[in-house]
Amino acid sequence: MTKHNKNIDELARSMRQYIADPVPFVQNVLKAQPDKWQIECLRAIANHPRVAVRSGHGVGKTALESWAILWFMFTRPFPKVPCTAPTQQQLLDILWPEISKWLKRSELLDGLFDWQKTKVQNRIHPERWFATARTASKPENMAGFHEEHLLFVIDEASGVMDPIYETIEGALTTKDAKLLLCGNPTQNIGTFKRAFHEDRDLYYTIKVNCMDTDRVASAYCQRLIRQYGMDSDVVRVRVLGEFPKSEPDGLIPLELVEAAMMRDLDIDYNSMLHVGADIARFGDDETIFVPRIAGKTLGLFHYTKQDTTTTAGKLLNITKNFMRDYHKPYATIRIDDDGVGGGVTDMLRETIREQRLNIDVIACHNGGSPIDKEHYANWATEQWCNLKQRLLDEDIEIPNDDELSAQLSTRKYSIDRRGRIILEDKKTYKKRIRRSPDRADALILAFAKVRNNIDPNIAALLGGAKLYGN
């Protein structure tokens, strides 16, 4: 027997050894020690065609997915492993680097497979033996996969829409076709939710509580429980791995927030730059800046314990930098002008006049009069309701931030004696949650619909427009 044939026989024996049980593959080949729930899940994938995992935040789902992908590629001839998630960032910045990390840990696997930005492929048969990353933006991204050995891996599965799953269903026809769904249970609708309820007979299901694993710091769980309550949707989804129940007096359901955080919108280069700014000073509250162009937010900047002069300088520099980077000849800054925000407003306007910048500073007042006085009790309520409508319309993308998610989804509302919606005031919210909704308020400001007497220079650029807020 030649050395080449001997190596092939050894590889074949190694592959056969792990076909029925991925756990020793993870332990021996990848040199990892899976948690109890990961062991259960790995063996479920080997023995069941469909597996669904719902969990809290940070329990090790991405590692589990990476192990399953590499196990399937090692133990099957000519497999295909399509991987998808709602956003490119989830796939290319989180899952794909995780696969690379485990691939490099194994000299055997590193010699067999070539890792690329959107693909992991067999070095000898790259056209037929591979895993590929494709975002769940349209059904056709998941079309065309037909093979005897097929594993679909769906990350952040709650955010993947039903038409994507319908396309995948069409490929699950062979004996060794498998489907793995993993995610936080953020939405009460869709295929992922049905996997644990109406369609449970089709799936092997697993629920992972953050408090049952050492991978999640106990302080993280206790902080969310202390701030938002054990029965809140924030704790249910982020800690307990439960689907949200959506409190009847909560204004914005968590599932709308989470869906917007998983959305991946393109930049609309024809739209203006707007920056929302919620100002704090030396207390425990945060100063927050949120820039956005059309429906896409460009980040969330947070600071604490800074004087108003420093805050004004940072806000102006951030705005100018985004104007430069996105080639915007003008911008608006919307500031909560009540309290310390008024000082920042004055300083910004003075500096902008001195530097002759095409930036309009708009002073906003949460307790001010709404545009629609019939339905909303004050300006803040109207703007929160406007944001909720945009979340329902699915035309905005917001930063994936735990605090922002919690603040948006825990603000309550009531109906006043005139039948108008009125948002829970900030003082009551802070007493109940023991934290100020600074991040949510800055986002609301960024998307606020406001009327203003525009600086003549900017009006000329805008063709005389009077309304900001698109």
Side-chain angles (χ1 to χ4, degrees):
M1 180 182 294
T2 67
K3 183 177 179 180
H4 176 70
N5 289 336
K6 183 178 179 181
N7 290 340
I8 291 176
D9 286 345
E10 289 177 353
L11 179 60
R13 281 196 297 273
S14 182
M15 292 171 68
R16 285 193 294 270
Q17 175 187 353
Y18 300 124
I19 287 174
D21 191 353
V23 175
F25 167 82
V26 171
Q27 295 169 329
N28 300 334
V29 178
L30 300 179
K31 311 299 182 186
Q33 184 54 54
D35 288 349
K36 183 178 179 180
W37 80 265
Q38 292 171 324
I39 290 173
E40 179 187 359
C41 187
L42 287 165
R43 288 179 173 153
I45 295 167
N47 295 301
H48 298 270
R50 299 165 185 253
V51 177
V53 181
R54 60 183 166 108
S55 75
H57 186 67
V59 300
K61 294 189 299 294
T62 307
L64 180 280
E65 292 166 346
S66 301
W67 299 341
I69 291 164
L70 293 173
W71 163 76
F72 198 82
M73 292 185 68
F74 181 70
T75 57
R76 269 76 174 164
F78 306 108
K80 287 187 173 67
V81 187
C83 306
T84 194
T87 66
Q88 188 177 63
Q89 186 262 349
Q90 183 67 30
L91 278 176
L92 303 187
D93 295 347
I94 299 176
L95 177 59
W96 233 242
E98 185 76 7
I99 295 174
S100 175
K101 179 182 80 175
W102 293 107
L103 191 63
K104 296 300 181 184
R105 285 197 179 190
S106 169
E107 185 177 347
L108 171 61
L109 295 185
D110 199 28
L112 289 173
F113 301 110
D114 177 39
W115 184 93
Q116 299 177 0
K117 186 178 179 182
T118 60
K119 208 170 189 182
V120 179
Q121 58 192 23
N122 182 277
R123 295 184 185 274
I124 300 175
H125 303 285
E127 299 87 3
R128 291 191 57 199
W129 195 321
F130 61 82
T132 183
R134 299 192 179 183
T135 55
S137 55
K138 49 188 177 181
E140 48 265 42
N141 284 357
M142 289 289 103
F145 294 104
H146 299 284
E147 197 67 61
E148 181 181 355
H149 306 291
L150 192 62
L151 170 64
F152 282 93
V153 176
I154 318 298
D155 197 12
E156 297 297 350
S158 197
V160 175
M161 298 297 102
D162 281 354
I164 305 296
Y165 286 110
E166 291 167 7
T167 300
I168 292 171
E169 284 289 338
L172 299 175
T173 56
T174 59
K175 185 177 180 180
D176 197 35
K178 297 178 179 292
L179 174 63
L180 172 61
L181 312 182
C182 293
N184 300 122
T186 58
Q187 299 196 59
N188 272 317
I189 58 172
T191 297
F192 190 61
K193 172 67 181 297
R194 292 195 297 273
F196 295 91
H197 292 86
E198 301 97 315
D199 298 335
R200 188 165 183 170
D201 59 319
L202 301 176
Y203 290 84
Y204 187 102
T205 60
I206 297 173
K207 185 188 78 169
V208 189
N209 185 326
C210 284
M211 293 185 287
D212 294 337
T213 174
D214 293 334
R215 295 180 186 272
V216 181
S218 175
Y220 169 81
C221 301
Q222 294 306 317
R223 177 175 63 82
L224 290 184
I225 292 169
R226 185 174 61 253
Q227 287 182 1
Y228 302 106
M230 178 63 84
D231 203 35
S232 68
D233 279 347
V234 174
V235 172
R236 288 174 64 85
V237 172
R238 294 281 178 170
V239 176
L240 304 179
E242 299 283 2
F243 287 93
K245 57 181 177 56
S246 295
E247 298 181 38
D249 57 349
L251 182 64
I252 298 178
L254 179 62
E255 61 192 77
L256 292 182
V257 177
E258 297 284 348
M261 288 181 173
M262 289 188 284
R263 203 163 288 131
D264 194 5
L265 300 180
D266 294 329
I267 290 285
D268 180 355
Y269 288 98
N270 294 318
S271 295
M272 288 182 63
L273 169 69
H274 303 289
V275 182
D278 189 71
I279 310 298
R281 202 160 179 253
F282 292 117
D284 293 330
D285 295 351
E286 292 183 305
T287 290
I288 308 293
F289 307 148
V290 177
R292 62 104 175 174
I293 295 175
K296 188 179 183 72
T297 54
L298 307 175
L300 187 152
F301 301 84
H302 52 95
Y303 309 94
T304 57
K305 297 178 172 60
Q306 294 187 332
D307 60 54
T308 52
T309 302
T310 302
T311 296
K314 285 188 174 181
L315 179 52
L316 185 58
N317 285 336
I318 285 172
T319 304
K320 289 164 65 176
N321 288 340
F322 276 103
M323 291 175 70
R324 179 199 64 213
D325 293 346
Y326 290 93
H327 310 291
K328 298 300 178 186
Y330 43 80
T332 73
I333 299 174
R334 291 92 172 277
I335 296 181
D336 178 4
D337 198 53
D338 300 323
V340 295
V344 175
T345 299
D346 294 340
M347 279 185 262
L348 281 175
R349 285 174 173 167
E350 183 178 353
T351 304
I352 287 168
R353 281 195 298 269
E354 290 173 353
Q355 297 184 15
R356 297 184 178 180
L357 301 173
N358 287 327
I359 300 173
D360 201 30
V361 179
I362 303 173
C364 300
H365 303 276
N366 285 324
S369 179
I371 297 172
D372 183 352
K373 298 180 178 65
E374 181 181 355
H375 294 100
Y376 306 108
N378 54 43
W379 185 87
T381 301
E382 183 175 43
Q383 302 315 316
W384 275 76
C385 289
N386 286 337
L387 183 76
K388 179 180 180 179
Q389 186 58 54
R390 295 201 66 164
L391 292 169
L392 288 166
D393 292 339
E394 301 182 355
D395 70 344
I396 67 171
E397 170 194 343
I398 62 179
N400 193 345
D401 178 85
D402 283 351
E403 282 295 330
L404 176 62
S405 173
Q407 291 174 20
L408 285 170
S409 61
T410 54
R411 199 75 176 263
K412 296 184 177 183
Y413 76 97
S414 59
I415 304 298
D416 70 8
R417 58 186 178 82
R418 294 172 56 185
R420 301 176 303 177
I421 298 173
I422 182 167
L423 186 71
E424 177 183 30
D425 66 82
K426 188 179 288 190
K427 183 178 180 180
T428 303
Y429 179 89
K430 290 177 71 172
K431 183 177 180 180
R432 179 168 61 86
I433 301 297
R434 294 182 291 277
R435 193 172 185 85
S436 178
D438 306 312
R439 301 188 181 200
D441 283 343
L443 182 77
I444 295 294
L445 288 164
F447 282 94
K449 293 184 177 180
V450 294
R451 293 188 182 276
N452 188 63
N453 291 322
I454 306 172
D455 180 278
N457 293 326
I458 299 178
L461 287 167
L462 296 176
K466 294 281 185 180
L467 178 65
Y468 297 100
N470 296 323

